[in-house]
Amino acid sequence: MEELKYLNPTELLEKIYDTLCSEYEDEAHYDKEQDKQDIEVTKKRLTKKVFNEFVVEDEYFLTMDSKTFKERYHLFEKDFFKLITECSKNGVPYEKFIEIIDNLLACAHYRLNAFEQLNEEITRIKAEKEQEEEEPTEAIEEEVVEEDDT
């Protein structure tokens, strides 16, 4: 298994994912409409539980501060759910599933880094402009002091 960079999988994540996969497998064996509806509800709830069980930097998606989640992962929320659904529906092995999720988390991480770099660069540029604006004033003040000496 490839070493994960961002996702810290839990034992519960694996169990929930396996259960979700088994719901997709079992679905084919039910004919009654009520049973199919019940399975749909179960699949949706398990998908949400898988999502909530993701842990990044020792923080669960479920308990993550909403501002932090929105800043870092909200943009990818639909993608996470699509990956969970498609992986479980098609019986993707758990080890491969967490690698796939880790790759999407990497995208979110790189996006966040890009915006941090942008903010740092904006701060640097503003500081340089402020310094440039102050330098001519300092030069004029030095000239005035030199003239007063004569």
Side-chain angles (χ1 to χ4, degrees), residues 6-17:
Y6 302 99
L7 182 66
N8 301 318
T10 64
E11 285 182 37
L12 187 55
L13 175 61
E14 183 173 8
K15 290 176 182 176
I16 298 168
Y17 178 75

Side-chain angles (χ1 to χ4, degrees), residues 34-46:
Q34 183 60 45
D35 290 336
K36 288 182 179 188
Q37 289 175 359
D38 291 346
I39 287 177
E40 274 307 307
V41 169
T42 302
K43 289 187 312 189
K44 285 180 183 177
R45 294 193 72 202
L46 287 170

Side-chain angles (χ1 to χ4, degrees), residues 21 31-32 80 102:
C21 288
D31 295 330
K32 293 182 183 176
F80 281 116
D102 194 61

Side-chain angles (χ1 to χ4, degrees), residues 19-36:
T19 303
L20 179 57
C21 288
S22 96
E23 284 296 316
Y24 276 101
E25 289 173 14
D26 293 350
E27 182 176 35
H29 302 289
Y30 289 95
D31 295 330
K32 293 182 183 176
E33 191 58 39
Q34 183 60 45
D35 290 336
K36 288 182 179 188

Side-chain angles (χ1 to χ4, degrees), residues 57-135:
E57 297 175 359
D58 297 326
E59 201 167 358
Y60 286 82
F61 273 17
L62 177 65
T63 57
M64 188 177 287
D65 175 62
S66 62
K67 182 182 179 224
T68 301
F69 179 82
K70 186 174 183 175
E71 179 182 271
R72 297 178 183 181
Y73 307 109
H74 178 71
L75 185 63
F76 298 93
E77 193 169 1
K78 287 181 182 178
D79 294 332
F80 281 116
F81 281 107
K82 183 176 181 175
L83 290 176
I84 295 166
T85 300
E86 290 299 315
C87 286
S88 56
K89 181 179 182 179
N90 292 291
V92 172
Y94 176 73
E95 291 76 19
K96 186 52 97 175
F97 165 70
I98 59 174
E99 287 177 21
I100 291 168
I101 295 300
D102 194 61
N103 285 333
L104 186 56
L105 287 168
C107 291
H109 180 78
Y110 288 127
R111 177 184 175 273
L112 183 62
N113 282 349
F115 280 105
E116 287 173 355
Q117 280 182 303
L118 173 62
N119 289 336
E120 289 170 5
E121 188 62 17
I122 289 170
T123 302
R124 186 191 64 74
I125 291 170
K126 286 181 179 179
E128 283 180 0
K129 284 183 181 179
E130 287 175 7
Q131 188 176 14
E132 288 173 4
E133 290 172 1
E134 289 175 7
E135 285 177 4

Side-chain angles (χ1 to χ4, degrees), residues 126-147:
K126 286 181 179 179
E128 283 180 0
K129 284 183 181 179
E130 287 175 7
Q131 188 176 14
E132 288 173 4
E133 290 172 1
E134 289 175 7
E135 285 177 4
T137 306
E138 290 172 4
I140 292 171
E141 289 174 0
E142 287 177 12
E143 287 177 23
V144 170
V145 171
E146 287 177 9
E147 288 175 10

